[in-house]
Amino acid sequence: MVSLDRFQTFKAVVDAGSLTAAAQHLGQSKAVVSFNLKRLEQELGVTLLVRNTRSLALTDAGERFHQQCVAMLALAEQAIEEARSEQHQLRGTLRLTTTPEYAAARVVPLLEGFRALHPQLRLHLSTTPAHADLIPERFDLAIRLGRMADSTLRATLLEAHALCAVAAPSLLSGLPDAAARDDPDWVRTLPRLGYPRLADLPLVAPDGSAAVFASNPADAVATVDNASTLRAFALAGAGATVLPAWLIAEDLTAGRLLPILRGHRFPRQGVYAVFPNAAQPSRRVQRLLAHLRQQLTG
């Protein structure tokens, strides 16, 4: 019978992209990794990888086997988790990633509640504005905001929240009166901030007519790659922009930022849990998803 350890070796080589990187990940020597890979190919009777001095490439058989290998290892891990669980306690490490702002405002408090329910579970949270590559970076789950692009990943909606067009009082002081901040023609005269990570937004006027609010206009006075910096520029009075309501709730209450285009409606922004599509989510991921849904929608 083929050893599951060799399945793990093969998966590690494919995920890491080289024998050296796989050996470092597995804590083994390169020679051991190479030996186990060759033995696996001999036992299966097929060539899985074409190797040269610079790169590795999956054969057609290797591509098919890798997909099945990922699914089998996930099922094996899930079976081990369930066999080791005592009184419904989760163990091991749960690796997840999201943006720094959403982590601080929403995820960390919920994770602390989840950790209290499962004290033997270790959490690894990585925060970055960019989308992490879940499989090579070995994340169990990502929490992503906005529209989901087509991919091989599975996504489930956790919550949806309001977006708000805002500007600082100092920026709005140049408008003729308070009503001008709700007039699209006057708003177009304000300097704008750019945020390429947010797609252009449909905007519905009070009379039902539709327009588009450019999230990254060509004439933006400043362009940023994360929501915290976008908020900081808005607070400084540099320009008008759109920000999630959960991020600027205290700024709105304190009057540091003021809503503009009141009466106009943006679509709500979805927050999604994203995980690999190769197999059934692990028991840890399933439990966390249930906890997040209950807390965010309950």
Side-chain angles (χ1 to χ4, degrees):
M1 181 180 293
V2 180
S3 169
L4 278 179
D5 288 341
R6 293 195 181 114
F7 282 47
Q8 187 65 57
T9 297
F10 171 66
K11 178 179 179 297
V13 171
V14 175
D15 291 348
S18 72
L19 295 177
T20 301
Q24 291 174 347
H25 169 64
L26 294 170
Q28 300 174 354
S29 69
K30 181 179 176 182
V32 169
V33 170
S34 180
F35 172 80
N36 284 328
L37 189 58
K38 290 178 181 177
R39 284 297 302 271
L40 177 63
E41 290 179 320
Q42 290 170 359
E43 290 167 341
L44 295 176
V46 295
T47 300
L48 301 173
L49 288 164
V50 177
R51 301 179 278 281
N52 59 40
T53 56
R54 292 190 176 183
S55 64
L56 299 171
L58 284 167
T59 63
D60 289 343
E63 182 72 41
R64 291 189 296 272
F65 183 71
H66 179 255
Q67 295 175 2
Q68 297 167 343
C69 181
V70 170
M72 291 179 66
L73 287 171
L75 288 173
E77 181 182 359
Q78 184 176 349
I80 292 169
E81 285 179 22
E82 293 177 357
R84 288 177 174 173
S85 64
E86 297 176 5
Q87 298 179 349
H88 307 291
Q89 288 293 320
L90 299 180
R91 303 171 187 271
T93 301
L94 182 62
R95 292 173 50 84
L96 62 158
T97 178
T98 190
T99 67
E101 301 83 11
Y102 194 74
R106 304 286 278 167
V107 175
V108 169
L110 298 181
L111 286 181
E112 183 57 18
F114 186 68
R115 193 186 65 81
L117 296 172
H118 305 284
Q120 298 184 66
L121 179 68
R122 296 184 301 274
L123 298 174
H124 177 101
L125 175 62
S126 174
T127 59
T128 172
H131 286 177
D133 197 340
L134 267 61
I135 295 176
E137 298 182 49
R138 299 186 298 114
F139 285 110
D140 299 296
L141 184 74
I143 299 176
R144 294 179 178 171
L145 285 66
R147 293 183 295 186
M148 291 293 99
D150 292 337
S151 74
T152 58
L153 302 174
R154 294 171 61 183
T156 181
L157 182 68
L158 294 177
E159 68 167 336
H161 55 77
L163 295 171
C164 186
V166 295
S170 60
L171 187 68
L172 298 176
S173 63
L175 296 179
D177 53 44
R181 64 174 158 139
D182 299 318
D183 185 333
D185 292 332
W186 278 110
V187 168
R188 276 191 283 270
T189 69
L190 298 172
R192 291 281 304 283
L193 301 174
Y195 187 38
R197 294 190 181 280
L198 184 65
D200 290 346
L201 297 166
L203 181 64
V204 179
D207 64 3
S209 60
V212 174
F213 189 95
S215 300
N216 186 36
D219 60 350
V221 298
T223 301
V224 303
D225 65 357
N226 66 79
S228 291
T229 306
L230 186 65
R231 170 179 171 267
F233 269 114
L235 287 168
T241 191
V242 170
L243 284 161
W246 55 263
L247 181 62
I248 56 170
E250 293 183 2
D251 299 322
L252 293 171
T253 300
R256 295 187 292 265
L257 291 174
L258 297 175
I260 61 177
L261 297 175
R262 291 169 298 179
H264 294 71
R265 291 182 289 108
F266 291 105
R268 293 174 70 81
Q269 185 179 53
V271 178
Y272 296 86
V274 180
F275 46 94
N277 195 31
Q280 185 76 5
S282 70
R283 189 162 166 265
R284 292 189 293 258
V285 170
Q286 292 179 43
R287 289 288 188 86
L288 178 60
L289 286 175
H291 178 78
L292 293 176
R293 289 193 192 101
Q294 181 182 27
Q295 298 299 316
L296 290 171
T297 61

